[in-house]
Amino acid sequence: PDWASYTLGVFICLSCSGIHRNIPHVSKVKSVRLDSWEDVQVEFMASRGNAIARATFESKVPPFYYRPSASDCQLLREQWIRAKYERQEFTHPERQEPYSAGYREGFLWKRGRDNGQFLSRKFVLTEREGALKYFNRSDAKEPKAVMKIEHLNATFQPAKIGHPHGLQVTYLKDNSTRNIFVYHEDGKEMVDWFNALRAARFHYLQVAFPGASDADLVPKLSRNYLQEGYMEKTGPKTEGFRKRWFTMDDRRLMYFKDPLDAFARGEVFIGSRESGYTVLDGLPPSTQGHHWPHGITIVTPERRFLLACETESEQRAWMEALRKVVDRPMLPQEYAVEAHFKHKP
C-alpha cells in the first residue's frame, strides 16, 4: 500500500485512499512516497499500524457482517470503512441495531417484473417468521411475496441493475429461482439491509446446524455468483442457437432472456464428476447454427447441453467456473436437489 491515513495510523491502498479522502473529519491521507512527512506524523504511524488499528476499530464485528474484499463493489468497501472509522459501529455494539435487531422494515425501490420501472415498495424482514416480505401498497394487509430466509440470497449487482446501490435478491418458489432487484438512494441503508439479511440467515443456520462453528456458517450467509454473462444455447431438439443471459449460482446454471428477468427460462443442475457430469471444450463436430465460435459441452447423466461463447476468454472463464463445481463432491442435500431436477417435466 502506497498511501496512509496519518490521523488513524493505517496504511491503505490507492482504491481505499479515495474513500478515506471523503471522510476528512476522521481520516487525513498522504502518499507514502510522494508527500512530505513531519517527524510527529512518522512517529504516530510507527506507534500505530494496521494491526493495532484493527484490534481497536474491529474489536466487535458481528460474525455475520460482510467484510468486503478488494474485488467487491465501491458501496460495500465505502460503507465498511465508514462503519469502522466514522460511525465506529464495531467499537460500540449498540450502533449495530439497524442490522442486528432481528426485525427491519422500510421502503426500497423495486423493479417491476413486467414494465421494468422501479417503484417504492414496503419491505419487512422478520427473523421470528423466518421471512422477508414485500407489499405492493403500504396499507396492504397481505404481502405480494414471502421469501423464506432458508432459501434467500442477496448480492450487489450495480452494473447489471444500473444503480450503484443495486441489490439482487433471489429466493426459491416451488423449487425454482426467483429474482427481485432493489436499491435505496442511501448507501448505508442498503448495506444495512444486506447485513440484516445475512444476520437473519446466520441465526436461522445456527438453529438448523446447532453444532456448527461460526467459521462453518459464515460462507453460507450470502454468495456472489460464480460466473455471469451471455452465451448462446441450443435446445434438446433441433432449435437453433439463441443468445441468453447465464448465471452460475452454486450448482444451478440458469438462463434468462434478459439479465433482469424475474425468473429463469431454464435451470440446469451441475453435479459432480462422480455422478457423471463433465465439461468439455468445444462442440460435437456435427453442430450447426451457432454464431459464436467458442463452444462448451456440458455432459449430464441425462443429456448434453451445447453452449457457445463470443470470445475465448469468456469461454475459459466459464469452463473454469463449471469445472470447479464438477470437481467438488456433492453434499447429501444436493442429491435431493438433483433428484428434483431430474423429475422436472
Side-chain angles (χ1 to χ4, degrees):
D2 279 347
W3 299 82
S5 167
Y6 62 89
T7 50
L8 294 170
V10 293
F11 294 92
I12 50 183
C13 69
L14 175 63
S15 176
C16 289
S17 73
I19 297 170
H20 278 257
R21 284 183 198 280
N22 288 334
I23 44 172
H25 53 292
V26 175
S27 184
K28 291 196 165 30
V29 176
K30 277 189 174 185
S31 164
V32 172
R33 301 169 195 278
L34 306 174
D35 290 322
S36 58
W37 286 74
E38 295 164 23
D39 289 349
V40 65
Q41 292 169 344
V42 174
E43 284 161 20
F44 179 67
M45 291 299 297
S47 71
R48 294 281 290 189
N50 291 38
I52 289 174
R54 195 172 289 127
T56 306
F57 291 106
E58 296 182 27
S59 61
K60 296 184 175 72
V61 182
F64 60 77
Y65 196 98
Y66 187 80
R67 293 169 176 263
S69 68
S71 60
D72 278 306
C73 66
Q74 171 83 3
L75 174 69
L76 278 170
R77 289 182 292 117
E78 178 179 356
Q79 288 304 318
W80 166 254
I81 288 168
R82 287 184 180 273
K84 188 159 69 161
Y85 299 120
E86 184 181 40
R87 300 192 291 269
Q88 298 195 7
E89 290 174 16
F90 311 132
T91 46
H92 302 283
E94 69 277 7
R95 296 178 188 173
Q96 299 168 11
E97 182 78 7
Y99 43 83
S100 64
Y103 181 88
R104 184 177 174 83
E105 69 172 71
F107 286 84
L108 298 171
W109 292 96
K110 179 192 167 290
R111 188 179 191 274
R113 199 174 97 180
D114 301 319
N115 58 11
Q117 275 186 311
F118 281 87
L119 297 166
S120 179
R121 293 287 181 253
K122 180 183 167 186
F123 280 78
V124 175
L125 171 67
T126 158
E127 271 186 30
R128 194 171 49 79
E129 295 175 35
L132 172 68
K133 304 184 273 193
Y134 80 87
F135 299 80
N136 266 357
R137 293 193 322 278
S138 51
D139 60 350
K141 296 281 184 285
E142 292 300 315
K144 175 72 174 156
V146 177
M147 299 163 251
K148 287 285 181 203
I149 293 298
E150 181 184 356
H151 300 302
L152 200 72
N153 185 36
T155 174
F156 278 99
Q157 294 275 20
K160 190 157 96 175
I161 294 170
H163 191 282
H165 305 161
L167 186 75
Q168 179 172 351
V169 178
T170 63
Y171 62 104
L172 286 184
K173 186 180 178 185
D174 308 325
N175 210 35
S176 289
T177 306
R178 289 283 187 273
N179 298 319
I180 62 167
F181 302 93
V182 295
Y183 71 83
H184 196 285
E185 293 296 354
D186 181 335
K188 176 187 183 296
E189 184 82 4
M190 199 66 255
V191 174
D192 283 350
W193 269 104
F194 177 62
N195 281 303
L197 291 171
R198 285 175 58 89
R201 278 189 51 79
F202 183 65
H203 296 134
Y204 161 78
L205 290 168
Q206 280 181 314
V207 174
F209 303 99
S213 68
D214 289 358
D216 291 330
L217 299 181
V218 167
K220 296 180 168 66
L221 300 186
S222 64
R223 61 190 181 275
N224 293 326
Y225 299 133
L226 300 177
Q227 185 73 13
E228 278 201 299
Y230 283 108
M231 287 192 284
E232 291 183 331
K233 70 165 283 291
T234 184
K237 304 192 174 63
T238 54
E239 68 174 72
F241 277 77
R242 296 213 172 108
K243 182 176 156 185
R244 294 288 181 256
W245 178 267
F246 280 81
T247 297
M248 186 81 216
D249 183 12
D250 201 30
R251 288 196 182 273
R252 288 173 184 259
L253 177 64
M254 297 171 278
Y255 54 91
F256 305 83
K257 195 166 182 184
D258 181 274
L260 296 174
D261 281 347
F263 45 90
R265 290 297 178 95
E267 303 189 37
V268 182
F269 181 85
I270 308 292
S272 65
R273 202 174 296 286
E274 299 87 53
S275 302
Y277 293 81
T278 47
V279 183
L280 306 174
D281 192 341
L283 298 169
S286 59
T287 312
Q288 293 178 334
H290 54 99
H291 301 100
W292 288 348
H294 304 282
I296 300 172
T297 301
I298 300 173
V299 181
T300 77
E302 270 66 55
R303 54 172 281 212
R304 288 169 178 247
F305 293 89
L306 308 183
L307 309 170
C309 300
E310 190 172 16
T311 68
E312 195 181 341
S313 62
E314 286 170 353
Q315 180 208 33
R316 273 202 306 271
W318 275 108
M319 297 274 292
E320 195 178 317
L322 287 160
R323 281 178 173 160
K324 247 182 214 158
V325 175
V326 166
D327 289 344
R328 198 173 75 217
M330 272 163 64
L331 300 170
Q333 57 266 42
E334 290 175 335
Y335 284 101
V337 178
E338 181 190 37
H340 171 84
F341 270 82
K342 284 181 177 171
H343 293 126
K344 269 189 175 179

